[in-house]
Each structure stands twice: as structure tokens, then as C-alpha cells.
Amino acid sequence: MTYATTQQLEDRFGHRLVLDLTDRADPPAGQIDVGVVDRALTDTDALIDGYLKGRYVLPLTETPPLIVDLALTIAIYKLHTYSPDPKIEEDYKMALRSLEMVGKGTIRLPVEGAEPKDTGGGGARVTDRERPFSAATMKGFI
């Protein structure tokens, strides 16, 4: 299951941009190369799965809107063969930061099969040892 589709890329970024990024034939064929788009979407899915696999059961039963948004942002970045527009590059970096937060659990996805990670560090610690420095042991120094 892919997180985004070619049609969603066209709807968000426009037919012209997707055509310009994917039509790599010489001379240009004048149509979107679905193979190029599929390769970028597959790479995007693998990247997203890498962040999700430690926290969620994969494959996801349904794709949350946040993941679709991040997948589109990453895929359009990956379609660029040369330096992308600064806005696209900044959006890509923000998408990676968002995926890191999802992987850490800061951002929670509304899906079934969430696996919360237990860090083991939450809660009060109690020590039953005697204090090494007290009024009785420091007699003469206080």
C-alpha cells in the first residue's frame, strides 16, 4: 500500500510541475512518466516505514492525512533531479522532522496497532540506603 498516489501529487502540485519533473525522455514525450513517479513513491514509502516501524504495526490499516501530506512532500522532493525550489527543500526538511517526532511518539497517529515504547524511566525512585552524610556521621565537622 502506498501512502500517496500520482493523482494526489498532481492535485497538490499541479500537472505541469509533475510533468516537468518526470518527463525525462529525449525528446520529451509530453506526458507524466508513471515509472518515475512510482519509483519516487516507493522510496518515500520505504523512508516513512523506517520511521514508523518501531512504533506502529505495519502496514497501516488506514493512512492518516498527516502521513499522506508527508508522503507528498517527500515524493515531490525526490522527483527533483537537480536542486529544488527553496520552499520544496524546506518542506522536505520539515517533513523529516515530523517523521522523527512520530517515531519518538511526540506526534501520535490516529491508527490502530500503536505500540507505545516504554522507556522505563517514568516514575518516582526511592532509595532505601542510609544517607552517607548526616549529622551523626559528620560529627565534629559541622
Short mmCIF file of all heavy atoms in Angstrom, two decimals, residues 26 36-37 45 81 84 88 134 137:
data_model
loop_
_atom_site.label_atom_id
_atom_site.label_comp_id
_atom_site.label_asym_id
_atom_site.label_seq_id
_atom_site.Cartn_x
_atom_site.Cartn_y
_atom_site.Cartn_z
N ASP A 26 14.05 11.93 -24.24
CA ASP A 26 14.72 12.85 -25.16
C ASP A 26 14.34 12.46 -26.58
O ASP A 26 14.79 11.42 -27.05
CB ASP A 26 16.23 12.78 -24.97
CG ASP A 26 16.95 13.88 -25.74
OD1 ASP A 26 16.33 14.93 -25.98
OD2 ASP A 26 18.13 13.67 -26.08
N VAL A 36 8.68 6.76 -13.20
CA VAL A 36 9.50 7.66 -12.38
C VAL A 36 8.74 8.03 -11.11
O VAL A 36 9.30 8.03 -10.01
CB VAL A 36 9.88 8.92 -13.19
CG1 VAL A 36 10.56 9.96 -12.30
CG2 VAL A 36 10.77 8.56 -14.36
N VAL A 37 7.45 8.32 -11.25
CA VAL A 37 6.64 8.67 -10.08
C VAL A 37 6.53 7.48 -9.13
O VAL A 37 6.70 7.63 -7.92
CB VAL A 37 5.23 9.15 -10.51
CG1 VAL A 37 4.35 9.38 -9.29
CG2 VAL A 37 5.32 10.41 -11.34
N ASP A 45 7.71 5.68 0.55
CA ASP A 45 7.07 4.72 1.45
C ASP A 45 8.10 4.02 2.33
O ASP A 45 7.88 3.82 3.53
CB ASP A 45 6.27 3.68 0.66
CG ASP A 45 5.07 4.28 -0.06
OD1 ASP A 45 4.68 5.42 0.27
OD2 ASP A 45 4.52 3.61 -0.95
N THR A 81 15.66 16.18 -9.94
CA THR A 81 16.99 15.65 -10.28
C THR A 81 18.08 16.67 -9.96
O THR A 81 19.23 16.30 -9.79
CB THR A 81 17.07 15.26 -11.77
OG1 THR A 81 16.69 16.38 -12.56
CG2 THR A 81 16.18 14.08 -12.06
N PRO A 84 16.10 21.61 -5.82
CA PRO A 84 14.70 22.03 -5.86
C PRO A 84 14.52 23.47 -5.40
O PRO A 84 15.45 24.09 -4.87
CB PRO A 84 14.02 21.07 -4.89
CG PRO A 84 15.08 20.73 -3.92
CD PRO A 84 16.37 20.73 -4.71
N ILE A 88 10.31 23.88 -1.46
CA ILE A 88 10.19 22.42 -1.51
C ILE A 88 11.25 21.79 -0.61
O ILE A 88 10.98 20.84 0.11
CB ILE A 88 10.27 21.91 -2.96
CG1 ILE A 88 9.00 22.32 -3.70
CG2 ILE A 88 10.48 20.41 -3.01
CD1 ILE A 88 8.99 21.99 -5.17
N SER A 134 25.23 12.61 57.24
CA SER A 134 24.17 13.08 58.12
C SER A 134 24.84 13.74 59.32
O SER A 134 26.07 13.73 59.49
CB SER A 134 23.28 11.91 58.56
OG SER A 134 24.03 11.00 59.36
N THR A 137 27.05 11.21 61.22
CA THR A 137 28.33 10.77 60.61
C THR A 137 29.29 11.93 60.40
O THR A 137 30.47 11.70 60.19
CB THR A 137 28.06 10.10 59.24
OG1 THR A 137 27.42 11.03 58.38
CG2 THR A 137 27.26 8.85 59.38
#
